[in-house]
Amino acid sequence: MSEHLKGIAASDGVAVAKAYLLVQPDLSFTKKSVDDYKKEQSRLDEALKQSQNELEKIKNHAEKTLGSDEAQVFEAHIMILNDPDFIGAIKQEIEDQKENAEAALSNISNNFIATFEAMKDNDYMKERAADIRDVTKRVMSHLLKVTLPDPTMINEEVVIVAEDLSPSDTAQLNRKYVKAFVTDVGGRTAHSAIMARSLEIPAVVGTDTATKVTQTKGDVKIAVNGITGDVVIDPTSEEVAEFEQAGKDFAIQKDEWSKLKNESTITADGKHFILAANIGTPKDLTGVKENGAEAIGLYRTEFLYMDSAELPTEEDQFKAYREVLESMDGKQVVVRTMDIGGDKHLPYLPLPEEQNPFLGYRAIRISLDREDIFRTQLRALIRASYYGKLGIMFPMIATVNEFKKARAIYQDEYDKLKAAGTPVSDEIEVGMMMEIPAAAVLADKFAKIADFFSIGTNDLIQYSMAADRGNDRVSYLYQPYNPAILRLVKNIIDSAHNEGKWVGMCGEAAGDPIMDCILIGLGLDEYSMSATSILKIRSLMKKIDSSKVKELAEKAVTESVTNEDNIQLVKKYINL
Ligand code: PEP
Ligand code: MG
């Protein structure tokens, strides 16, 4: 019998395909004493051999599909499998302690990891610790005869079902085969959901039980509607037909929107607003072009760092930034400096374990602490500025001093490059993300020293409402239209305009139809969103009269009490 689940609609589109369960298997084991230690050593050898075969296959596949940089990590894993120190220590442990291979592998691996992680300022060694952890998992799976899931090896059409997906898991999904994904946890503004939208993979998150139900059903199909949040596990043929029809309707709708691709975004009363795209890598430029973006309002450069096996060099970064700037033909590109931390990690830059990573050492806090990394990025950006219209912005600015410090470092690098005769633009704008409530409240002060603001509602809402953006249990508190949030947004917009500065929004709320009716009324200048939302919003904006929504926005900020009040208010104005 089919099983219906309702989750959070995270990425538009409809798909029906075979389920692919991406859950970590149970790798727990029982420690045992053994008499025949040689037999345990041979069991280990066999598991090492199987791991090696598997890794060779994965490495070859990664080389073909992702490129040799991405495949390097598997090469490092193969080297560990053949490292005489590591493997020798495990075999010695089996012999000395007369224990089973699982226990010896676990003990020795823990010792190596602890030693490497203790090398405080040695990023290379910390990276090795992460590799050892991965390799240990693989060898253990062979000892225990369980299969590790591996989404990079998928070669048929599937719907991925996982408890959660990290941004790097999502980056590895192959669009050709992964028709949709469904997770137990997560929110619409978690980075995996954002990436699903730019990859155009339909997604439903926060279903609570998708993995459990799929596990009990075994080999089944799954129907996913990323527009409504509906998921059917093991659908009947009528249900499959229903979902397929919804998919066709969505395709027709998309065709209609695509006619607006080459138009600029003009409201019913003739006002022009900029619809820009958020990107994570130069690969996203195709989507930017296909969806007729008028600018790039947010280039999340952390993905450049995450896609690399080590810190990207100035040259690597320069190439990527130049490519993006050149391809935009003079349209503005706002590049955000590295926003690592929170849910985004670098294997080669291990961060301290924190109780609250979203409130911890991340983004500009790391950049100001690791000036070497920051300056390299700034130099690459300033050099690339010659090839287009560049805006640079700093993420997670909380205080005026942080902004001043970051801007001074930028200026220092700019002056040095210019003095050295490097061709650079004279018109780089230096702005900041407005995503921390303290900064939003003090926007009038920031507006004097920043060239522009970009409102990051994903974080601004989570910090204002104290509600984790990736936690479906508190998603009811994730309220973009709450008057408290709108008052912060209005303060940011008014403060910028008072100083003659422009202000955009690059949080996911910028691509939300209800929010946009209010934002036009508040006078927001630029709307930056997943490229796949642009044409839908352009079609909406053509119907909006900006003078009428001014009144509506005034009410939304001053009279409304709840998020729901504002949904009703907008729905009375326009049929959404
Ligand atoms: C935001 O916080 O709204 C934002 C755009 O940044 P990110 O989603 O990368 O945190
Ligand atoms: Mg943010």
Side-chain angles (χ1 to χ4, degrees):
M1 218 181 70
S2 61
E3 184 105 22
H4 292 238
L5 302 178
K6 186 89 182 173
I8 300 169
S11 177
D12 286 353
V14 183
V16 183
K18 196 176 143 189
Y20 181 95
L21 251 181
L22 187 59
V23 286
Q24 286 309 322
D26 181 7
L27 292 180
S28 55
F29 62 90
T30 318
K31 181 176 166 167
K32 284 186 201 146
S33 308
V34 294
D35 295 328
D36 186 355
Y37 75 85
K38 288 212 164 113
K39 198 170 143 208
E40 284 307 298
Q41 290 176 333
S42 333
R43 277 186 66 230
L44 178 72
D45 280 333
E46 186 56 29
L48 292 171
K49 206 168 85 198
Q50 287 165 335
S51 302
Q52 168 112 10
N53 288 343
E54 203 169 63
L55 279 167
E56 302 274 5
K57 264 195 225 151
I58 297 175
K59 190 187 119 206
N60 290 341
H61 186 75
E63 249 160 13
K64 276 190 225 130
T65 53
L66 303 166
S68 53
D69 275 2
E70 270 80 2
Q72 255 178 32
V73 60
F74 303 111
E75 183 61 48
H77 288 189
I78 292 171
M79 275 165 72
I80 293 172
L81 280 180
N82 293 291
D83 176 356
D85 287 345
F86 181 55
I87 304 302
I90 304 170
K91 289 193 170 163
Q92 198 61 48
E93 173 90 354
I94 294 175
E95 185 176 345
D96 294 348
Q97 303 300 323
K98 301 272 181 303
E99 62 191 11
N100 54 346
E102 289 88 339
L105 169 67
S106 166
N107 286 346
I108 298 300
S109 152
N110 285 342
N111 290 349
F112 271 66
I113 290 169
T115 313
F116 287 161
E117 283 187 339
M119 299 182 185
K120 273 205 167 54
D121 295 319
N122 193 330
D123 291 345
Y124 177 79
M125 284 312 192
K126 289 191 175 167
E127 201 184 312
R128 295 287 78 77
D131 287 342
I132 290 190
R133 204 172 267 125
D134 274 6
V135 170
T136 302
K137 225 160 77 181
R138 188 168 302 281
V139 179
M140 191 66 87
S141 75
H142 286 292
L143 284 171
L144 296 170
K145 304 214 177 312
V146 295
T147 314
L148 288 182
D150 182 2
T152 58
M153 296 297 277
I154 294 173
N155 55 9
E156 59 181 334
E157 293 195 351
V158 295
V159 169
I160 293 217
V161 185
E163 194 193 325
D164 196 8
L165 283 179
S166 70
S168 55
D169 291 335
T170 315
Q172 287 180 31
L173 300 181
N174 183 344
R175 251 179 83 175
K176 187 166 158 208
Y177 298 122
V178 178
K179 295 289 135 191
F181 72 74
V182 178
T183 63
D184 291 348
V185 301
R188 223 190 111 77
T189 62
H191 285 100
S192 47
I194 293 173
M195 289 172 74
R197 289 196 281 281
S198 68
L199 292 167
E200 281 195 81
I201 297 179
V204 175
V205 299
T207 58
D208 221 12
T209 53
T211 54
K212 210 165 100 203
V213 178
T214 311
Q215 236 155 1
T216 54
K217 293 245 173 210
D219 218 0
V220 284
K221 272 192 180 169
I222 299 203
V224 184
N225 186 331
I227 308 161
T228 59
D230 288 299
V231 175
V232 182
I233 300 174
D234 198 8
T236 61
S237 50
E238 288 80 26
E239 284 162 340
V240 168
E242 218 176 277
F243 274 72
E244 285 176 347
Q245 187 56 45
K248 282 183 196 146
D249 293 346
F250 181 60
I252 293 170
Q253 173 74 271
K254 270 183 28 182
D255 273 353
E256 200 50 42
W257 289 332
S258 72
K259 293 181 187 145
L260 303 174
K261 185 176 144 183
N262 298 318
E263 290 190 15
S264 58
T265 312
I266 312 279
T267 58
D269 58 326
K271 289 250 161 56
H272 177 219
F273 292 93
I274 295 171
L275 286 196
N278 293 346
I279 65 165
T281 93
K283 286 184 212 146
D284 296 337
L285 285 167
T286 325
V288 172
K289 294 272 147 88
E290 278 169 9
N291 291 287
E294 292 163 90
I296 288 174
L298 167 64
Y299 176 1
R300 286 184 169 94
T301 59
E302 50 276 11
F303 292 109
L304 201 106
Y305 292 75
M306 287 161 71
D307 278 352
S308 172
E310 57 200 357
L311 276 172
T313 61
E314 181 180 321
E315 213 47 40
D316 288 343
Q317 294 190 56
F318 168 69
K319 275 194 206 133
Y321 305 149
R322 176 178 168 167
E323 183 184 343
V324 174
L325 280 156
E326 278 184 335
S327 84
M328 288 306 284
D329 296 325
K331 293 185 189 122
Q332 184 160 49
V333 176
V334 177
V335 183
R336 180 175 75 184
T337 60
M338 182 185 88
D339 184 0
I340 284 299
D343 61 348
K344 291 176 284 198
H345 307 282
L346 298 181
Y348 52 85
L349 185 74
L351 302 176
E353 282 280 321
E354 292 180 328
Q355 293 224 340
N356 295 299
F358 270 97
L359 300 179
Y361 185 62
R362 59 173 290 201
I364 196 68
R365 303 164 187 188
I366 300 180
S367 293
L368 291 175
D369 188 40
R370 289 290 306 267
E371 261 190 45
D372 53 330
I373 300 176
F374 191 38
R375 283 183 185 268
T376 304
Q377 179 167 35
L378 289 171
R379 273 197 304 275
L381 278 168
I382 296 164
R383 283 173 53 206
S385 71
Y386 184 69
Y387 301 92
K389 186 167 190 266
L390 176 68
I392 297 177
M393 71 177 166
F394 306 126
M396 297 291 292
I397 294 283
T399 70
V400 164
N401 279 344
E402 275 177 336
F403 184 82
K404 283 186 175 163
K405 247 191 193 164
R407 187 162 192 156
I409 295 172
Y410 155 81
Q411 196 60 48
D412 185 43
E413 289 302 331
Y414 183 90
D415 293 344
K416 279 197 257 182
L417 282 165
K418 190 140 187 160
T422 312
V424 296
S425 161
D426 290 329
E427 288 169 355
I428 304 175
E429 291 189 304
V430 182
M432 60 181 272
M433 294 282 297
M434 271 288 178
E435 54 185 340
I436 294 184
V441 171
L442 223 55
D444 55 329
K445 305 295 180 205
F446 284 99
K448 293 186 195 306
I449 52 175
D451 298 335
F452 66 90
F453 294 148
S454 186
I455 306 173
T457 43
N458 305 342
D459 280 320
L460 186 63
I461 299 170
Q462 96 163 332
Y463 295 134
S464 302
M465 303 298 290
D468 183 340
R469 62 197 260 189
N471 184 343
D472 50 298
R473 285 179 191 268
V474 293
S475 62
Y476 75 98
L477 281 170
Y478 206 83
Q479 303 179 349
Y481 332 112
N482 187 305
I485 302 295
L486 295 181
R487 287 183 189 197
L488 291 176
V489 169
K490 179 175 163 49
N491 187 48
I492 297 167
I493 297 174
D494 292 347
S495 303
H497 288 172
N498 283 342
E499 296 292 336
K501 311 286 171 72
W502 66 269
V503 50
M505 179 176 284
C506 61
E508 291 302 301
D512 176 307
I514 294 180
M515 192 68 166
D516 284 339
C517 292
I518 302 172
L519 291 172
I520 289 184
L522 292 176
L524 185 83
D525 304 296
E526 179 237 40
Y527 301 69
S528 195
M529 59 198 74
S530 307
T532 46
S533 301
I534 288 179
L535 295 173
K536 173 167 112 186
I537 297 298
R538 183 166 293 153
S539 140
L540 166 82
M541 285 198 178
K542 280 167 73 81
K543 296 182 201 134
I544 295 178
D545 182 324
S546 69
S547 58
K548 285 209 185 119
V549 283
K550 216 172 183 160
E551 258 171 66
L552 179 146
E554 185 64 29
K555 272 195 192 155
V557 172
T558 54
E559 290 178 22
S560 294
V561 181
T562 64
N563 194 61
E564 194 54 36
D565 288 347
N566 281 332
I567 298 176
Q568 296 314 326
L569 195 68
V570 173
K571 283 194 169 163
K572 252 190 256 162
Y573 167 75
I574 196 161
N575 193 11
L576 288 170

